[in-house]
Amino acid sequence: DSGVTQTPKHLITATGQRVTLRCSPRSGDLSVYWYQQSLDQGLQFLIQYYNGEERAKGNILERFSAQQFPDLHSELNLSSLELGDSALYFCASSRRQSNAPDTQYFGPGTRLTVL
Amino acid sequence: AQSVTQPDIHITVSEGASLELRCNYSYGATPYLFWYVQSPGQGLQLLLKYFSGDTLVQGIKGFEAEFKRSQSSFNLRKPSVHWSDAAEYFCAVIWGNQGGKLIFGQGTELSVKP
C-alpha cells in the first residue's frame, strides 16, 4: 500500500458524459500527478500540481481538467467523454519541496469505461 | 526527443532462472531513473531508483539495476526469479530539466514457467 488513495476504483459511463476522479496523496506529500494508461498509448503523463498550483502539463486534452485543493487532494475532471477515453487513470504523489526530481508513489488507479 | 525504450515486450523465464530486463533512454539532460512493477489489476509499485552515486542500486524483492551512462541504459536484474515475480515491469525516467514528468517505457511483461 503506497498511501495514495483513489476513488472510485471503477467507473462506467456513456459517451458525452462528465466524470470526476479523486485522489488523496500520501500524508506530507505536496505534489500530485495524473497519468493515463491505455493499451495504445501506454502510460502517459497528464498533469502535475504542487501545493495547489499547476506545475507541469503533458498530453492532456482540453476536455480534461484538474485541480488540487487546500487539503492537497486532487480531482481530475473528464468531460464530453469519448470511447477512446476508456483507460486506467493513475494518481501519484511526491514530497517535492524543491525543483529536484523526486520519487512518485502511485495509487491503485481508477478504471474508466466509456460505453 | 525524450524517449524510453524497453526492447522486450514479453519475456518468459523458468522459476529459479536469472532475469535481465532491458531499458534504454535517449535525451541529453541528466536522467533520474526508476523501475516500477505492475501486477494484474494493481497499481504501480516502485522497485528501485537511481539519482546519483553508486551506479549499481538495490531494490525491493531482490531486484537490482545498473546505470551505464555510456550505453544510456538502466537494466533490471534478479539472480533467481520466483513465480510471484510474474507481472509487467516499467522503466521510467525524469529528465533533470523537465520537472516531475515521468516518461515511461512501453513495459515488459514477465511470465514465469514452473
Side-chain angles (χ1 to χ4, degrees), chain A residues 52-115:
Chain A
E53 294 186 3
E54 182 184 304
R55 275 299 175 94
K57 229 172 183 177
N59 297 327
I60 187 167
L61 300 171
E62 285 191 12
R63 301 183 285 108
F64 295 2
S65 65
Q67 57 184 133
Q68 187 179 27
F69 294 87
D71 67 352
L72 301 177
H73 91 272
S74 178
E75 292 180 355
L76 179 67
N77 300 296
L78 316 176
S79 61
S80 303
L81 285 167
E82 302 175 359
L83 295 177
D85 297 327
S86 295
L88 191 51
Y89 290 85
F90 285 113
C91 170
S93 74
S94 71
R95 292 273 185 257
R96 193 151 169 86
Q97 295 179 9
S98 70
N99 287 326
D102 200 359
T103 302
Q104 296 177 30
Y105 295 90
F106 283 76
T110 293
R111 182 166 295 284
L112 174 66
T113 303
V114 182
L115 301 175

Side-chain angles (χ1 to χ4, degrees), chain A residues 36-44 83-88, chain B residues 106:
Chain A
Q36 180 194 58
Q37 185 179 33
S38 62
L39 285 175
D40 53 344
Q41 297 289 328
L43 271 157
Q44 300 269 321
L83 295 177
D85 297 327
S86 295
L88 191 51
Chain B
Q106 303 93 314

Side-chain angles (χ1 to χ4, degrees), chain B residues 21-110:
Chain B
L21 302 183
R22 295 181 291 164
C23 173
N24 293 93
Y25 62 90
S26 67
Y27 194 53
T30 301
Y32 299 85
L33 300 150
F34 305 81
W35 276 98
Y36 287 88
V37 61
Q38 183 179 25
S39 298
Q42 302 295 314
L44 294 159
Q45 182 182 23
L46 178 70
L47 285 176
L48 47 76
K49 66 184 180 186
Y50 174 77
F51 281 13
S52 64
D54 190 347
T55 56
L56 183 64
V57 293
Q58 303 296 321
I60 62 170
K61 305 185 179 187
F63 285 94
E64 66 177 28
E66 186 171 13
F67 171 53
K68 293 186 178 179
R69 187 182 296 275
S70 62
Q71 298 177 20
S72 298
S73 70
F74 188 56
N75 294 348
L76 182 71
R77 300 193 294 249
K78 186 169 185 178
S80 177
V81 169
H82 188 262
W83 64 266
S84 61
D85 293 324
E88 187 147 23
Y89 292 78
F90 291 93
C91 179
V93 182
I94 292 174
W95 273 279
N97 61 352
Q98 297 288 312
K101 179 169 68 171
L102 267 171
I103 304 296
F104 284 88
Q106 303 93 314
T108 297
E109 185 179 355
L110 173 65

